[in-house]
């Protein structure tokens, strides 16, 4: 693993201005949320333009939560590089979506216990990449770590041959520490580069990427 640059994904981008900032700062991937309940939600119309603008400059990833087949088809037709599944999708469902979409699939898996880490193995064959995230609080109205980090030492139990991206509570201040401690294939940040829910900050994005690059 050492020597390979860490893949950096900035998630929850909604505007062209911020997309440009993320590209200029040198991110590898940009994530767009297509999920009504998220403060980072982007409509299908806006997604089409953002994916086009990203093409050839940075890999685009559309985040969906338990999507139905028509939603998958609609998003896949826009030609993103990745679709990220961030809901309670089963391995069987992930495999079906990958077959139908014809797009690389990233599966986000919430980690709160050793049991959750053991559950990752069921997805390694059906997804192109695994993203580990903090388990949402019990009464959360949407999935994702919601800015919380989890106990990274749980990941020591993971098969070292499984490349994964790390998410959940990452910030410019702990990016380097996270990369050193966990040695992930990549890191994914959303709320850690925001000043309010859904409000990204250019300086925080630049600091996150700079610190992650220095560590990687």
């Amino acid at each position: 693993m050492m020597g390979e640059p860490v893949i950096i994904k900035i998630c929850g981008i909604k505007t062209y201005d911020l997309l440009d900032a993320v590209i200029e700062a040198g991110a590898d991937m940009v994530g767009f949320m297509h999920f009504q309940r998220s403060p980072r939600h982007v409509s299908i119309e806006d997604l089409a333009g953002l994916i086009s603008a990203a093409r050839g400059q940075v890999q685009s990833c559309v985040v969906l939560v338990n999507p139905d087949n028509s939603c998958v088809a609609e998003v896949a037709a826009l030609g993103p590089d990745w679709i990220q599944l961030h809901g309670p999708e089963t391995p069987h469902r992930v495999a079906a979506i990958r077959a139908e979409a014809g797009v690389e699939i990233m599966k986000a898996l919430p980690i709160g216990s050793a049991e959750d880490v053991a559950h990752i193995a069921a997805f390694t064959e059906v997804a192109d990449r695994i993203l580990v995230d903090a388990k949402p609080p019990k009464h959360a109205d949407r999935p994702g770590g919601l800015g919380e980090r989890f106990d990274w030492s749980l990941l020591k139990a993971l098969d070292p041959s499984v490349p994964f991206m790390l998410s959940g509570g990452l910030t410019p201040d702990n990016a380097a520490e996270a990369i050193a401690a966990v040695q992930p294939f990549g890191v994914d940040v959303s709320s850690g580069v925001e000043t309010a829910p859904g409000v990204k900050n250019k300086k925080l994005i630049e600091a996150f990427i700079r610190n992650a690059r220095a560590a990687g």
Side-chain angles (χ1 to χ4, degrees):
M1 270 306 291
M2 296 313 285
E4 283 295 304
V6 172
I7 298 288
I8 299 174
K9 174 168 171 271
I10 310 290
C11 202
I13 295 297
K14 295 192 295 191
T15 66
Y16 291 96
D17 190 36
L18 279 168
L19 175 60
D20 288 342
V22 165
I23 291 168
E24 260 168 57
D28 301 290
M29 300 181 79
V30 61
F32 305 119
M33 290 285 314
H34 183 58
F35 180 56
Q36 294 284 358
R37 287 211 300 276
S38 171
R40 304 167 190 92
H41 172 67
V42 176
S43 70
I44 282 287
E45 295 70 42
D46 291 342
L47 264 185
L50 287 164
I51 289 169
S52 281
R55 195 168 286 123
Q57 302 193 77
V58 63
Q59 289 208 322
S60 60
C61 176
V62 179
V63 181
L64 303 177
V65 180
N66 220 17
D68 60 24
N69 289 351
S70 64
C71 174
V72 170
E74 198 172 24
V75 169
L78 303 177
D81 296 294
W82 292 83
I83 286 176
Q84 176 179 320
L85 298 173
H86 216 111
E89 302 90 2
T90 61
H92 182 76
R93 179 70 183 136
V94 173
I97 289 172
R98 180 160 76 164
E100 186 200 340
V103 171
E104 290 198 276
I105 301 291
M106 189 176 327
K107 175 67 183 113
L109 294 165
I111 304 297
S113 65
E115 196 176 48
D116 296 328
V117 175
H119 190 53
I120 294 172
F123 289 92
T124 53
E125 295 299 309
V126 292
D128 298 285
R129 193 174 293 170
I130 299 293
L131 171 74
V132 295
D133 193 6
K135 209 165 202 168
K138 281 259 187 300
H139 305 296
D141 67 342
R142 52 187 204 275
L146 309 185
E148 294 299 311
R149 62 185 259 188
F150 63 96
D151 177 1
W152 294 333
S153 68
L154 287 168
L155 296 172
K156 289 192 170 71
L158 191 58
D159 176 347
S161 73
V162 174
F164 63 90
M165 290 185 70
L166 177 68
S167 182
L170 297 182
T171 66
D173 295 334
N174 68 16
E177 177 203 350
I179 290 166
V182 180
Q183 298 194 348
F185 174 80
V187 286
D188 180 4
V189 66
S190 184
S191 60
V193 291
E194 289 179 347
T195 50
V199 184
K200 292 280 182 292
N201 178 281
K202 250 180 208 186
K203 293 236 174 315
L204 289 176
I205 290 170
E206 287 162 3
F208 182 87
I209 293 176
R210 197 166 51 241
N211 297 349
R213 286 276 176 246

